[in-house]
Amino acid sequence: MSARTLAISGFAASAVFVGALVALMVSLYLSEPRTGPFNTHFSLVDDRGNAVDQSIFRGHPALVYFGYTHCPEACPTTLYEVADWLVTLGDQGRALKAYFFSIDPERDTREVMHDYVTAFSSRITGITGEPAEMRKVSDGWFIHASKLPSEDGNYHMSHTVSLLMIGADGRLKGLIPYGTDRDEALAKIRDVLLGGGL
C-alpha cells in the first residue's frame, strides 16, 4: 500500500471518528435537561385546580419529575422516594417543593393527577393541562417523552426517568438518576438545593 493510500485511509478514518464523536456529543446534549434558566411561557393547572405558569420554577428549590399515572414502575417508585425524602428532610426541607408534570395529559386529568400524587404525599403537586402546553415544559427542559404502542392496542410512554433538581433561581442544579441510592439522593438534595448541612 502506498504512502498516499495510507494517508487517505488515515484521513478518512479520522473524519469518521470525529463525525461519530460530534454526533455522540450532540445526542448527549439533546438528551440532557437544560442548564440555563427556564424562560418558556406556559399555562397549566395543578391537581388542586390552581393555575400554573413558568413562575413555578422560581422562588424556591424544587424536585421536578416528568412522568405519567399509567407508568408501571419508574414513576410510582420515584414519587414514593420523593415522599420519603421530604419526610426525612423534615424542617430542613420545608422550602423544598415537589412537582410531578404529566407527559400524558390526555389521560392524566386534574382529578386523576390529584388522586395519584396524594396517594404518595400531600406535598407533591401534580401538574397537567393541554398537550401543547405540557410539551412546552418538557421541551423547555429537554425532557424526552414519546408514545409507544402496546400489544393491547393502547399505548405507554417512553420518557426521561431522571429527577430534576431546580434551584430557587430557576436553573437546573443537577439530576437524581432513577435508582440512585437513598442516602446519596438525600446528600445531593441537601448539598445542591438546601445549602449543605445535615
Side-chain angles (χ1 to χ4, degrees):
M1 191 176 286
S2 70
R4 185 170 189 273
T5 302
L6 282 173
I8 291 173
S9 297
F11 178 76
S14 296
V16 168
F17 175 76
V18 169
L21 185 60
V22 168
L24 176 63
M25 290 172 64
V26 168
S27 173
L28 288 174
Y29 171 75
L30 291 176
S31 68
E32 288 294 318
R34 66 184 298 122
T35 55
F38 186 94
N39 294 318
T40 303
H41 293 264
F42 61 87
S43 179
L44 297 169
V45 64
D46 72 17
D47 65 287
R48 293 164 182 85
N50 302 308
V52 172
D53 63 19
Q54 60 282 355
S55 65
I56 200 170
F57 296 124
R58 293 183 179 272
H60 51 259
L63 300 173
V64 178
Y65 190 73
F66 290 80
Y68 66 117
T69 63
H70 286 72
C71 181
E73 181 182 341
C75 301
T77 299
T78 299
L79 294 188
Y80 175 81
E81 291 172 341
V82 168
D84 172 60
W85 300 338
L86 292 171
V87 170
T88 302
L89 290 166
D91 286 342
Q92 184 188 14
R94 189 172 49 249
L96 187 63
K97 303 290 185 182
Y99 300 119
F100 178 64
F101 280 80
S102 176
I103 56 165
D104 185 19
E106 294 168 25
R107 294 184 291 191
D108 292 344
T109 64
R110 183 188 69 76
E111 295 81 8
V112 168
M113 289 289 278
H114 182 71
D115 290 343
Y116 189 76
V117 296
T118 55
F120 296 97
S121 171
S122 61
R123 288 192 56 195
I124 300 174
T125 300
I127 300 174
T128 190
E130 291 299 318
E133 293 296 299
M134 295 303 301
R135 178 60 70 177
K136 288 180 184 178
V137 186
S138 58
D139 286 351
W141 287 112
F142 297 138
I143 296 294
H144 164 74
S146 62
K147 282 185 182 180
L148 296 175
S150 57
E151 293 179 2
D152 63 2
N154 212 323
Y155 66 90
H156 60 276
M157 303 293 293
S158 169
H159 65 101
T160 299
V161 294
S162 291
L163 186 142
L164 283 62
M165 294 188 294
I166 298 175
D169 60 357
R171 290 177 178 269
L172 181 71
K173 302 300 183 181
L175 301 174
I176 300 178
Y178 179 64
T180 297
D181 174 78
R182 179 178 185 269
D183 291 338
E184 182 183 344
L186 285 165
K188 272 188 172 186
I189 294 168
R190 287 185 175 112
D191 184 53
V192 174
L193 293 180
L194 304 178
L198 301 174

